[in-house]
Amino acid sequence: MMQLDYSKIREAAEGYKKDMTAFLRAMISYPSESCEEKDVVMCIKAEMEKVGFDKVEIDGLGNVIGWAGKNGDIGDDRKIIAIDGHIDTVGIGNRENWTADPYEGWEDDDVIYGRGGSDQEGGTASAVYAVKIMKEMDLIPEGYKIMVVGSVMEEDCDGLCWQYIVNKDKIRPEFVISTEPTDGGIYRGHRGRMEIRVDVHGVSCHGSAPERGDNAIYKMADIINDVRALNNNGCSDSTQIKGLVKMLDPKYNPEHYEDARFLGRGTCTVSQIFYTSPSRCAVADSCAISIDRRMTAGETWDSCLKEIEELPAVRKYKDDVKVSMYMYSRPAWTGEVYETEAYFPTWINKETAAHVKCLTDAHKALYGDRRMGPESQKALRDRPLIDKWTFSTNGVAIQGRYGIPCVGFGPGAESQAHAPNEITWKQDLVRVCAVLTAAIPLYITEEKTDDVTVFRAGKTDNEIL
């Protein structure tokens, strides 16, 4: 392991606590929902330039990218290590649920309050100042350049920003650290997800004689019951619709059941329902539902669509049913449209992977082998240091689509994401800053092993590996 002055790194990170706090409060002050991030992008660009990044640019989709190299060298022949933090947020919902202005970014001695503090502009604050410390302490490895990405549109379409970075910007890092909130842990993967649509055709008629028509809502009711069974059922041999829990059983998932048990079982739920009808006095002539499908290890694009297509009710009405996947094509704040499928693959790494181990070694050297955090999060602190996210991140593209190793360590708590009265902890900013500062130079000395597991998409377009 590389010999680093960990006490000096801790001291430097602590010394920038006020600067990181001020930076995060500034970011929070700019409402930045997906596709409306321009103001916060400019705020981040200015901060990167202020702290001494060697180059700062904004790509066509609106991602802000800061570059730093050893002695200012960011030549094209250098390898890239990236730190990602999405800078868009969800909205605030019902304003009455907030006890203060969600965009004021007020603070007390311990926390910073406001939309985006944990999810996840705090990660950008830690990353920017980690690079500042690395430059000041000459810790950027020889032959490498560091890339800090303030990525856009993640809340709308996880990973779209990184599809653009890989496919349009032609940038492919050696590995990426995601600074999504990790509750003090180091996260080595998470489940994937899909957004599936089911459309059912019917025939309308006057509601006084419904037998003359073909009610699409009634057909969809049968399908919805089957979708619920797919989520809730067990997987015994006698069960007609075997539940998604089957992927935890080596009988049904022999190659990946252990990873599935770590990540958690897949789920599905009906999230939206739509219909058309000539009037309230008529039989519905179409009905459609959206299905939120969370995928565990071993499940793919093809397998998830096929499960819906093979539900008994779907097969019963097959001539009138279409199963498809949603597409995303909303314009970025720059006006750029980059269409993609609403498919977000599962990804996972082994604990021994070099890009996971460098963070673990840095954390142990700086703060020990247990999670750190406020006393109010004691239950979280008792969880293993190395764990996984419950929700989805840009890792679905970084590693899930493109096989670029990804690992997570970021300030804040998952429970704060999308919640009213969102906060993040100042000390989290400091710890993440220090660990990022130490982890990247440590990575160079880690033994590289092939410990990345990527679940491929199945039958896909050319942009998905």
Side-chain angles (χ1 to χ4, degrees):
M1 185 185 300
M2 177 178 286
Q3 296 302 309
L4 297 172
D5 189 337
Y6 294 105
S7 62
K8 188 174 180 181
I9 291 172
R10 281 195 304 270
E11 180 182 348
E14 190 69 39
Y16 285 120
K17 181 196 285 188
K18 289 184 178 180
D19 298 87
M20 287 187 278
T21 297
F23 179 30
L24 178 54
R25 291 188 64 193
M27 285 188 279
I28 289 171
S29 73
Y30 296 104
S32 54
E33 294 180 37
S34 296
C35 307
E36 300 174 4
E37 305 97 339
K38 181 178 179 179
D39 289 342
V40 78
V41 164
M42 297 307 170
C43 172
I44 294 164
K45 181 176 184 290
E47 192 78 10
M48 287 177 168
E49 291 169 344
K50 183 184 84 173
V51 304
F53 276 69
D54 299 307
K55 180 182 178 182
V56 185
E57 58 189 342
I58 299 169
D59 72 6
L61 198 68
N63 300 302
V64 56
I65 302 173
W67 298 95
K70 191 177 184 69
N71 300 321
D73 186 354
I74 55 169
D76 292 339
D77 59 338
R78 291 184 165 247
K79 296 181 179 180
I80 300 168
I81 296 174
I83 307 172
D84 177 63
H86 79 78
I87 55 174
D88 60 320
T89 73
V90 295
I92 62 171
N94 184 350
R95 175 64 178 82
E96 293 181 359
N97 289 334
W98 292 77
T99 59
D101 182 348
Y103 297 117
E104 180 184 350
W106 67 257
E107 62 177 307
D108 62 20
D109 289 342
D110 299 315
V111 305
I112 303 161
Y113 174 103
R115 177 56 85 216
S118 273
D119 189 21
Q120 62 108 161
E121 290 168 344
T124 299
S126 293
V128 166
Y129 277 85
V131 170
K132 178 174 176 60
I133 295 170
M134 291 177 70
K135 287 178 68 67
E136 290 172 347
M137 298 178 64
D138 194 26
L139 293 178
I140 297 177
E142 187 70 48
Y144 281 83
K145 54 186 174 182
I146 311 302
M147 172 189 185
V148 174
V149 183
S151 51
V152 298
M153 302 171 74
E154 189 271 353
E155 296 291 2
D156 249 18
C157 188
D158 335 5
L160 176 72
C161 45
W162 274 90
Q163 290 187 56
Y164 196 92
I165 288 167
V166 172
N167 295 324
K168 294 292 187 179
D169 298 339
K170 303 300 182 184
I171 299 170
R172 192 180 184 93
E174 187 166 320
F175 86 96
V176 180
I177 301 170
S178 168
T179 56
E180 286 267 17
T182 60
D183 296 301
I186 295 165
Y187 286 0
R188 62 184 180 95
H190 60 68
R191 295 180 303 167
R193 68 183 186 92
M194 293 176 67
E195 296 175 4
I196 299 173
R197 182 179 171 105
V198 181
D199 287 271
V200 174
H201 175 73
V203 178
S204 64
C205 69
H206 199 285
S208 64
E211 69 277 3
R212 297 173 183 165
D214 186 13
N215 197 316
I217 291 176
Y218 289 166
K219 293 177 181 178
M220 187 63 80
D222 292 341
I223 293 171
I224 289 172
N225 279 331
D226 284 359
V227 172
R228 180 165 58 181
L230 181 63
N231 185 72
N232 294 347
N233 282 359
C235 58
S236 65
D237 291 342
S238 61
T239 304
Q240 181 184 17
I241 300 176
K242 292 180 172 52
L244 298 179
V245 70
K246 67 180 181 288
M247 298 303 285
L248 308 184
D249 188 332
K251 176 180 177 181
Y252 297 100
N253 192 15
E255 187 176 353
H256 298 301
Y257 74 92
E258 290 182 342
D259 288 333
R261 289 176 178 176
F262 170 74
L263 294 174
R265 51 159 290 183
T267 59
C268 63
T269 190
V270 175
S271 56
Q272 293 176 320
I273 188 165
F274 318 94
Y275 74 94
T276 61
S277 176
S279 77
R280 290 199 299 271
C281 302
V283 165
D285 55 13
S286 78
C287 190
I289 58 172
S290 303
I291 298 174
D292 179 279
R293 177 66 159 89
R294 303 287 159 155
M295 305 180 302
T296 193
E299 295 176 322
T300 68
W301 166 323
D302 288 334
S303 71
C304 292
L305 290 178
K306 186 176 181 182
E307 276 176 336
I308 302 300
E309 291 167 348
E310 293 187 348
L311 291 173
V314 174
R315 297 179 70 179
K316 177 181 176 181
Y317 303 121
K318 62 180 181 180
D319 292 340
D320 292 324
V321 181
K322 178 184 177 182
V323 178
S324 61
M325 183 159 38
Y326 280 96
M327 298 293 291
Y328 182 85
S329 58
R330 189 178 173 194
W333 71 263
T334 60
E336 181 90 352
V337 175
Y338 190 73
E339 187 176 47
T340 190
E341 313 84 359
Y343 173 77
F344 312 93
T346 307
W347 62 279
I348 189 172
N349 304 280
K350 291 183 172 61
E351 293 187 20
T352 52
H355 61 290
V356 178
K357 196 168 181 297
C358 70
L359 281 168
T360 307
D361 289 344
H363 191 285
K364 289 179 178 179
L366 287 160
Y367 300 110
D369 60 3
R370 297 188 64 189
R371 293 185 188 222
M372 304 291 288
E375 187 61 30
S376 61
Q377 290 186 294
K378 188 177 185 307
L380 290 171
R381 289 164 59 192
D382 290 338
R383 284 169 48 185
L385 178 62
I386 303 176
D387 210 336
K388 80 280 186 180
W389 279 289
T390 301
F391 56 41
S392 183
T393 74
N394 280 333
V396 298
I398 297 165
Q399 185 168 326
R401 282 181 180 247
Y402 302 116
I404 300 167
C406 187
V407 61
F409 187 63
E414 282 192 71
S415 63
Q416 294 297 312
H418 303 188
N421 303 306
E422 181 179 353
I423 60 171
T424 199
W425 291 266
K426 294 180 180 180
Q427 208 55 41
D428 271 10
L429 301 179
V430 172
R431 277 190 294 270
V432 171
C433 177
V435 170
L436 295 178
T437 300
I440 290 175
L442 283 178
Y443 169 79
I444 307 305
T445 63
E446 296 286 358
E447 181 180 353
K448 307 302 187 290
T449 58
D450 187 20
D451 285 343
V452 177
T453 306
V454 181
F455 302 104
R456 296 305 184 196
K459 187 177 182 181
T460 69
D461 67 27
N462 292 331
E463 287 190 352
I464 301 178
L465 296 180

